[in-house]
Amino acid sequence: EFDLVHNDLVLAQDSPVVIFFRPDSDENARYMEEYKRAAERLEGKIAFAYAGLSNKIQKNLLRFMEMEESDLQMLAALRPSEHLRYRSQMTMDRLDEDYIMRWVSAVAERTEQPWVRSAEAVALTGPMIELVGTNHDEFLKDESKEVFVDYYAPWCSHCRTLEPTYEQLALYFQYDTDLVIARFDATKND
């Protein structure tokens, strides 16, 4: 069980840490047996833990994973040293040891895509492009263009003060095909 004693151990890992988020009342559920068997098979290779809402540290972990109480009953993983988070899409009624093994292997081998907090993508038109978590890296890796990104928070007074300047900059360079002026709401996206 994830608690204060395990906090430093888990967050100091270089390898993935698999965490099963579940309500405390599900302690004896069938999927917990499946999870425990997978953990035993991978003991010494990958850290496994489970968490609910029984203490403050578990609630903090839930927030760190950007999950809500309604998300309990979820298989998740993280790579603490890289700040990467993963979420399995498998429903609990279909969760079994083999699936857990395959999913954990995919996380360990980096073939599973990390979960990225992202606002809904919008049309990429106009002088200033609005980037979101799911398309941010694609734009930054495009070597055919220079990309200027305004990372902002809507509540930030400095960001709001600079917004008209960035909009003028975007208008000035709107016909430059080698330059992209973009903005990224850092409160809604990773």
Side-chain angles (χ1 to χ4, degrees), residues 13-30:
Q13 293 285 319
D14 285 330
S15 61
V17 177
V18 179
I19 303 164
F20 195 89
F21 289 94
R22 58 150 179 91
D24 295 332
S25 60
D26 284 7
E27 182 178 349
N28 297 313
R30 181 196 62 79

PDB file of all heavy atoms in Angstrom, residues 13-30:
ATOM      1  N   GLN A  13      12.474   6.262  -8.100  1.00  0.00           N
ATOM      2  CA  GLN A  13      12.676   5.210  -9.092  1.00  0.00           C
ATOM      3  C   GLN A  13      13.074   5.781 -10.458  1.00  0.00           C
ATOM      4  O   GLN A  13      12.538   6.786 -10.892  1.00  0.00           O
ATOM      5  CB  GLN A  13      11.386   4.402  -9.287  1.00  0.00           C
ATOM      6  CG  GLN A  13      10.958   3.595  -8.107  1.00  0.00           C
ATOM      7  CD  GLN A  13      11.814   2.354  -7.949  1.00  0.00           C
ATOM      8  OE1 GLN A  13      12.157   1.684  -8.903  1.00  0.00           O
ATOM      9  NE2 GLN A  13      12.150   2.062  -6.716  1.00  0.00           N
ATOM     10  N   ASP A  14      14.015   5.115 -11.118  1.00  0.00           N
ATOM     11  CA  ASP A  14      14.323   5.423 -12.521  1.00  0.00           C
ATOM     12  C   ASP A  14      13.435   4.601 -13.439  1.00  0.00           C
ATOM     13  O   ASP A  14      13.113   5.016 -14.539  1.00  0.00           O
ATOM     14  CB  ASP A  14      15.792   5.133 -12.839  1.00  0.00           C
ATOM     15  CG  ASP A  14      16.712   6.197 -12.263  1.00  0.00           C
ATOM     16  OD1 ASP A  14      16.277   7.355 -12.157  1.00  0.00           O
ATOM     17  OD2 ASP A  14      17.855   5.863 -11.926  1.00  0.00           O
ATOM     18  N   SER A  15      13.055   3.418 -12.988  1.00  0.00           N
ATOM     19  CA  SER A  15      12.194   2.556 -13.789  1.00  0.00           C
ATOM     20  C   SER A  15      10.730   2.890 -13.481  1.00  0.00           C
ATOM     21  O   SER A  15      10.437   3.570 -12.500  1.00  0.00           O
ATOM     22  CB  SER A  15      12.487   1.088 -13.486  1.00  0.00           C
ATOM     23  OG  SER A  15      12.241   0.812 -12.134  1.00  0.00           O
ATOM     24  N   PRO A  16       9.819   2.398 -14.301  1.00  0.00           N
ATOM     25  CA  PRO A  16       8.411   2.703 -14.056  1.00  0.00           C
ATOM     26  C   PRO A  16       7.920   2.149 -12.717  1.00  0.00           C
ATOM     27  O   PRO A  16       8.416   1.148 -12.229  1.00  0.00           O
ATOM     28  CB  PRO A  16       7.678   1.990 -15.190  1.00  0.00           C
ATOM     29  CG  PRO A  16       8.696   1.642 -16.191  1.00  0.00           C
ATOM     30  CD  PRO A  16      10.003   1.569 -15.480  1.00  0.00           C
ATOM     31  N   VAL A  17       6.951   2.846 -12.167  1.00  0.00           N
ATOM     32  CA  VAL A  17       6.267   2.410 -10.962  1.00  0.00           C
ATOM     33  C   VAL A  17       4.809   2.205 -11.355  1.00  0.00           C
ATOM     34  O   VAL A  17       4.181   3.107 -11.900  1.00  0.00           O
ATOM     35  CB  VAL A  17       6.361   3.463  -9.846  1.00  0.00           C
ATOM     36  CG1 VAL A  17       5.583   3.020  -8.621  1.00  0.00           C
ATOM     37  CG2 VAL A  17       7.807   3.747  -9.506  1.00  0.00           C
ATOM     38  N   VAL A  18       4.288   1.022 -11.113  1.00  0.00           N
ATOM     39  CA  VAL A  18       2.909   0.709 -11.451  1.00  0.00           C
ATOM     40  C   VAL A  18       2.067   0.902 -10.201  1.00  0.00           C
ATOM     41  O   VAL A  18       2.420   0.414  -9.129  1.00  0.00           O
ATOM     42  CB  VAL A  18       2.780  -0.742 -11.961  1.00  0.00           C
ATOM     43  CG1 VAL A  18       1.332  -1.069 -12.292  1.00  0.00           C
ATOM     44  CG2 VAL A  18       3.673  -0.955 -13.170  1.00  0.00           C
ATOM     45  N   ILE A  19       0.979   1.644 -10.359  1.00  0.00           N
ATOM     46  CA  ILE A  19       0.120   1.939  -9.215  1.00  0.00           C
ATOM     47  C   ILE A  19      -1.313   1.583  -9.582  1.00  0.00           C
ATOM     48  O   ILE A  19      -1.811   2.000 -10.627  1.00  0.00           O
ATOM     49  CB  ILE A  19       0.182   3.426  -8.820  1.00  0.00           C
ATOM     50  CG1 ILE A  19       1.634   3.813  -8.528  1.00  0.00           C
ATOM     51  CG2 ILE A  19      -0.716   3.711  -7.626  1.00  0.00           C
ATOM     52  CD1 ILE A  19       1.881   5.280  -8.513  1.00  0.00           C
ATOM     53  N   PHE A  20      -1.916   0.798  -8.733  1.00  0.00           N
ATOM     54  CA  PHE A  20      -3.319   0.464  -8.946  1.00  0.00           C
ATOM     55  C   PHE A  20      -4.133   1.338  -8.012  1.00  0.00           C
ATOM     56  O   PHE A  20      -4.008   1.235  -6.797  1.00  0.00           O
ATOM     57  CB  PHE A  20      -3.574  -1.013  -8.658  1.00  0.00           C
ATOM     58  CG  PHE A  20      -4.886  -1.465  -9.192  1.00  0.00           C
ATOM     59  CD1 PHE A  20      -4.980  -1.951 -10.469  1.00  0.00           C
ATOM     60  CD2 PHE A  20      -6.033  -1.349  -8.435  1.00  0.00           C
ATOM     61  CE1 PHE A  20      -6.198  -2.343 -10.993  1.00  0.00           C
ATOM     62  CE2 PHE A  20      -7.242  -1.739  -8.935  1.00  0.00           C
ATOM     63  CZ  PHE A  20      -7.335  -2.235 -10.227  1.00  0.00           C
ATOM     64  N   PHE A  21      -4.929   2.235  -8.596  1.00  0.00           N
ATOM     65  CA  PHE A  21      -5.801   3.088  -7.800  1.00  0.00           C
ATOM     66  C   PHE A  21      -7.136   2.381  -7.637  1.00  0.00           C
ATOM     67  O   PHE A  21      -7.756   1.985  -8.623  1.00  0.00           O
ATOM     68  CB  PHE A  21      -6.002   4.436  -8.499  1.00  0.00           C
ATOM     69  CG  PHE A  21      -4.774   5.293  -8.469  1.00  0.00           C
ATOM     70  CD1 PHE A  21      -3.874   5.272  -9.515  1.00  0.00           C
ATOM     71  CD2 PHE A  21      -4.515   6.105  -7.380  1.00  0.00           C
ATOM     72  CE1 PHE A  21      -2.733   6.053  -9.487  1.00  0.00           C
ATOM     73  CE2 PHE A  21      -3.375   6.896  -7.338  1.00  0.00           C
ATOM     74  CZ  PHE A  21      -2.482   6.874  -8.391  1.00  0.00           C
ATOM     75  N   ARG A  22      -7.548   2.204  -6.401  1.00  0.00           N
ATOM     76  CA  ARG A  22      -8.791   1.489  -6.135  1.00  0.00           C
ATOM     77  C   ARG A  22      -9.402   1.996  -4.840  1.00  0.00           C
ATOM     78  O   ARG A  22      -8.697   2.485  -3.956  1.00  0.00           O
ATOM     79  CB  ARG A  22      -8.528   0.001  -6.015  1.00  0.00           C
ATOM     80  CG  ARG A  22      -7.519  -0.294  -4.894  1.00  0.00           C
ATOM     81  CD  ARG A  22      -7.760  -1.636  -4.273  1.00  0.00           C
ATOM     82  NE  ARG A  22      -6.814  -1.927  -3.232  1.00  0.00           N
ATOM     83  CZ  ARG A  22      -6.993  -1.628  -1.944  1.00  0.00           C
ATOM     84  NH1 ARG A  22      -8.048  -0.989  -1.548  1.00  0.00           N
ATOM     85  NH2 ARG A  22      -6.098  -1.973  -1.048  1.00  0.00           N
ATOM     86  N   PRO A  23     -10.727   1.884  -4.730  1.00  0.00           N
ATOM     87  CA  PRO A  23     -11.356   2.237  -3.451  1.00  0.00           C
ATOM     88  C   PRO A  23     -10.906   1.255  -2.371  1.00  0.00           C
ATOM     89  O   PRO A  23     -10.635   0.087  -2.655  1.00  0.00           O
ATOM     90  CB  PRO A  23     -12.854   2.086  -3.718  1.00  0.00           C
ATOM     91  CG  PRO A  23     -13.008   1.920  -5.186  1.00  0.00           C
ATOM     92  CD  PRO A  23     -11.693   1.471  -5.730  1.00  0.00           C
ATOM     93  N   ASP A  24     -10.831   1.702  -1.147  1.00  0.00           N
ATOM     94  CA  ASP A  24     -10.423   0.833  -0.042  1.00  0.00           C
ATOM     95  C   ASP A  24     -11.346  -0.370   0.090  1.00  0.00           C
ATOM     96  O   ASP A  24     -10.915  -1.445   0.489  1.00  0.00           O
ATOM     97  CB  ASP A  24     -10.395   1.616   1.275  1.00  0.00           C
ATOM     98  CG  ASP A  24      -9.332   2.714   1.248  1.00  0.00           C
ATOM     99  OD1 ASP A  24      -8.330   2.549   0.527  1.00  0.00           O
ATOM    100  OD2 ASP A  24      -9.513   3.729   1.947  1.00  0.00           O
ATOM    101  N   SER A  25     -12.603  -0.215  -0.288  1.00  0.00           N
ATOM    102  CA  SER A  25     -13.566  -1.314  -0.171  1.00  0.00           C
ATOM    103  C   SER A  25     -13.287  -2.448  -1.163  1.00  0.00           C
ATOM    104  O   SER A  25     -13.834  -3.542  -1.019  1.00  0.00           O
ATOM    105  CB  SER A  25     -14.981  -0.792  -0.388  1.00  0.00           C
ATOM    106  OG  SER A  25     -15.095  -0.225  -1.685  1.00  0.00           O
ATOM    107  N   ASP A  26     -12.419  -2.213  -2.157  1.00  0.00           N
ATOM    108  CA  ASP A  26     -12.118  -3.234  -3.167  1.00  0.00           C
ATOM    109  C   ASP A  26     -10.905  -4.092  -2.813  1.00  0.00           C
ATOM    110  O   ASP A  26     -10.346  -4.778  -3.656  1.00  0.00           O
ATOM    111  CB  ASP A  26     -11.861  -2.581  -4.525  1.00  0.00           C
ATOM    112  CG  ASP A  26     -13.134  -2.141  -5.192  1.00  0.00           C
ATOM    113  OD1 ASP A  26     -14.194  -2.210  -4.561  1.00  0.00           O
ATOM    114  OD2 ASP A  26     -13.070  -1.711  -6.354  1.00  0.00           O
ATOM    115  N   GLU A  27     -10.510  -4.057  -1.560  1.00  0.00           N
ATOM    116  CA  GLU A  27      -9.308  -4.781  -1.120  1.00  0.00           C
ATOM    117  C   GLU A  27      -9.310  -6.244  -1.545  1.00  0.00           C
ATOM    118  O   GLU A  27      -8.276  -6.789  -1.914  1.00  0.00           O
ATOM    119  CB  GLU A  27      -9.203  -4.668   0.400  1.00  0.00           C
ATOM    120  CG  GLU A  27      -7.992  -5.331   0.978  1.00  0.00           C
ATOM    121  CD  GLU A  27      -7.911  -5.144   2.482  1.00  0.00           C
ATOM    122  OE1 GLU A  27      -8.682  -4.323   3.040  1.00  0.00           O
ATOM    123  OE2 GLU A  27      -7.091  -5.824   3.094  1.00  0.00           O
ATOM    124  N   ASN A  28     -10.457  -6.899  -1.539  1.00  0.00           N
ATOM    125  CA  ASN A  28     -10.530  -8.323  -1.870  1.00  0.00           C
ATOM    126  C   ASN A  28     -11.158  -8.586  -3.238  1.00  0.00           C
ATOM    127  O   ASN A  28     -11.558  -9.722  -3.520  1.00  0.00           O
ATOM    128  CB  ASN A  28     -11.314  -9.075  -0.783  1.00  0.00           C
ATOM    129  CG  ASN A  28     -10.595  -8.997   0.551  1.00  0.00           C
ATOM    130  OD1 ASN A  28      -9.389  -9.219   0.618  1.00  0.00           O
ATOM    131  ND2 ASN A  28     -11.323  -8.645   1.595  1.00  0.00           N
ATOM    132  N   ALA A  29     -11.234  -7.593  -4.074  1.00  0.00           N
ATOM    133  CA  ALA A  29     -11.832  -7.765  -5.405  1.00  0.00           C
ATOM    134  C   ALA A  29     -10.965  -8.694  -6.267  1.00  0.00           C
ATOM    135  O   ALA A  29      -9.751  -8.810  -6.062  1.00  0.00           O
ATOM    136  CB  ALA A  29     -11.998  -6.418  -6.089  1.00  0.00           C
ATOM    137  N   ARG A  30     -11.590  -9.368  -7.234  1.00  0.00           N
ATOM    138  CA  ARG A  30     -10.896 -10.303  -8.114  1.00  0.00           C
ATOM    139  C   ARG A  30      -9.694  -9.635  -8.798  1.00  0.00           C
ATOM    140  O   ARG A  30      -8.609 -10.202  -8.876  1.00  0.00           O
ATOM    141  CB  ARG A  30     -11.856 -10.848  -9.181  1.00  0.00           C
ATOM    142  CG  ARG A  30     -11.186 -11.859 -10.125  1.00  0.00           C
ATOM    143  CD  ARG A  30     -11.989 -12.103 -11.390  1.00  0.00           C
ATOM    144  NE  ARG A  30     -12.161 -10.936 -12.215  1.00  0.00           N
ATOM    145  CZ  ARG A  30     -11.233 -10.440 -13.059  1.00  0.00           C
ATOM    146  NH1 ARG A  30     -10.056 -11.017 -13.164  1.00  0.00           N
ATOM    147  NH2 ARG A  30     -11.476  -9.371 -13.777  1.00  0.00           N
TER     148      ARG A  30
END
